[in-house]
Amino acid sequence: MGKFSLYSFILCLFISATVQAQQDLKVAVFDPEGTVEKTLLEIVREEISSAVVNTKGYTVLERQLINKVLEENKFQESGLVSDAQVSDIGKIMGADYVFVTTISALAENYYISCKMIEVATARIEKQFTGTTTDGINDIPQTAQFIVKRLFGENVKQQVAQRAREQPREPVQRPVTPVTRQAEPVYYGNLTASGMNIYSSGRALSRNDVRAMMANTDALRYYNGGIKKRKAGNFLVTAGFVFIAAGAVLTYALPIEYGSSYYNGSYFEYDYYTEPDYGFLAAGGLVGLGLAIPGFILKGSGKRNVRKAVDVYNSGNYGYSEPPAAFEIDFGVTQSGGIGLVMTF
């Protein structure tokens, strides 16, 4: 009897939760409109959706469902859609409410307006607006603040203090690198030959070069060159090992042939062998597949070193160049595997 009562209690809880889920109001959050960057529009939409999801009694419809309905019914999710049309779209989606948002630039800040349209009546149930006080930095807080006000929460927009405090931290950051960049000046102009760097005809060690180029983009190019050089040497060595292994196996494991003939009294067998050139072909293909990228990496490493010298000599320590059209990189994964990446 006790066990039956426990089962009945669990069943009642399940039915109660199911009924409660069915009673949640469904909300369709449309993509915001406005003449601002697409990234800002996506941020505002996600923040509004997050705030609605975390409000008890409401369920947000999937974005894929919204886009599918708009596409199938040839509706435009923009200012060309009236509130009545928004209501029609919401009915097709099975939504109870639709959130329509606009965002506009207002001097250095952003003005956000959000209205909550009741699908059944096509009337604006609620509408609230907000303006950021720290430009782009407090857009997420402002969007969530607006939604909370729409749902009747008595909250205040507490962003002004954070907005004033945020710029204070990075103001003093440039002071340290300026002092450090002056340290390597005594080396004078540098020259590069292959992977070696010279100052006044004297070859510098890697530690000297790294100390000299500290806190400059030149160091990034130099370290990248060393890394590519090591990876290239490894691939070239591995490639030649595969080629050599294929050549050795070609003759160490030859293909054996045999034939028999009757000499009048009994059968005799003749055996002969020939090299298995399949090993040579396989080793050659794998070896070249490793060696060729290795040579490319070694050449790329030399170019990195020359670039490091050019950047250092120019004194333009903030220099950066556009990404290469073709790049090969090599490294070891955290699990101990070896990876080769070719970027086009």
Side-chain angles (χ1 to χ4, degrees):
M1 183 64 178
K3 187 179 294 186
F4 177 77
S5 299
L6 177 62
Y7 289 155
S8 299
F9 176 71
I10 294 175
L11 180 60
C12 289
L13 288 179
F14 176 76
I15 293 174
S16 176
T18 303
V19 171
Q20 179 64 36
Q22 291 176 348
Q23 292 176 347
D24 285 351
L25 297 174
K26 297 178 181 179
V27 178
V29 179
F30 281 10
D31 287 341
E33 58 173 302
T35 56
V36 296
E37 296 87 344
K38 183 179 179 182
T39 303
L40 296 183
L41 297 176
E42 292 177 350
I43 290 174
V44 171
R45 184 195 184 283
E46 290 304 312
E47 291 298 333
I48 290 176
S49 179
S50 173
V52 176
V53 167
N54 291 311
T55 302
K56 186 176 181 180
Y58 293 88
T59 300
V60 175
L61 298 180
E62 290 290 338
R63 187 173 185 177
Q64 293 180 350
L65 171 63
I66 297 175
N67 293 338
K68 181 179 179 182
V69 172
L70 291 172
E71 181 179 353
E72 290 179 350
N73 293 273
K74 296 182 174 58
F75 283 113
Q76 297 295 324
E77 192 178 342
S78 67
L80 300 176
V81 179
S82 65
D83 292 346
Q85 288 175 304
V86 168
S87 176
D88 292 337
I89 298 172
K91 290 177 181 177
I92 297 174
M93 297 174 184
D96 296 295
Y97 292 97
V98 174
F99 272 58
V100 178
T101 310
T102 60
I103 176 172
S104 307
L106 187 63
E108 296 180 355
N109 291 303
Y110 294 90
Y111 175 81
I112 304 174
S113 174
C114 182
K115 55 185 177 181
M116 180 177 178
I117 300 176
E118 186 179 26
V119 171
T121 61
R123 67 183 179 88
I124 299 176
E125 177 77 10
K126 296 177 183 178
Q127 183 172 3
F128 207 85
T129 63
T131 304
T132 65
T133 59
D134 190 25
I136 192 175
N137 295 324
D138 62 335
I139 282 182
Q141 296 94 325
T142 304
Q144 292 208 13
F145 159 73
I146 292 173
V147 175
K148 290 178 181 179
R149 290 299 301 268
L150 282 172
F151 285 118
E153 294 187 35
N154 186 17
V155 294
K156 295 183 179 180
Q157 188 176 3
Q158 299 177 349
V159 294
Q161 291 183 354
R162 288 197 298 269
R164 287 193 294 267
E165 294 172 356
Q166 284 175 355
R168 294 179 183 173
E169 184 178 355
V171 167
Q172 298 179 354
R173 290 180 181 174
V175 174
T176 301
V178 168
T179 303
R180 294 180 182 176
Q181 288 172 2
E183 295 176 0
V185 170
Y186 83 97
Y187 287 96
N189 284 344
L190 306 178
T191 58
S193 177
M195 297 297 295
N196 297 320
I197 294 180
Y198 297 86
S199 175
S200 301
R202 181 174 64 89
L204 302 176
S205 68
R206 290 182 182 176
N207 288 336
D208 287 339
V209 173
R210 289 188 172 113
M212 170 189 59
M213 295 182 176
N215 301 304
T216 71
D217 275 356
L219 181 60
R220 176 166 58 87
Y221 289 113
Y222 180 74
N223 286 336
I226 297 299
K227 177 182 177 183
K228 291 178 180 179
R229 176 74 172 185
K230 290 181 179 179
N233 286 336
F234 175 83
L235 290 177
V236 170
T237 302
F240 282 113
V241 168
F242 272 96
I243 294 174
V248 171
L249 292 176
T250 295
Y251 294 96
L253 299 174
I255 300 175
E256 186 177 88
Y257 297 93
S259 62
S260 63
Y261 63 91
Y262 188 69
N263 64 2
S265 300
Y266 56 87
F267 284 96
E268 291 189 2
Y269 295 89
D270 289 333
Y271 295 97
Y272 60 95
T273 60
E274 65 179 35
D276 187 351
Y277 292 103
F279 287 113
L280 183 62
L285 288 174
V286 176
L288 290 176
L290 294 173
I292 291 175
F295 283 117
I296 296 175
L297 273 175
K298 291 174 68 175
S300 179
K302 292 180 180 179
R303 289 193 295 273
N304 268 53
V305 171
R306 290 197 297 270
K307 177 62 69 176
V309 169
D310 291 341
V311 172
Y312 176 79
N313 289 339
S314 69
N316 184 15
Y317 297 151
Y319 173 86
S320 62
E321 62 179 356
F326 174 74
E327 184 75 17
I328 297 180
D329 203 359
F330 172 86
V332 179
T333 65
Q334 294 181 350
S335 60
I338 298 175
L340 180 65
V341 178
M342 302 178 69
T343 305
F344 296 88

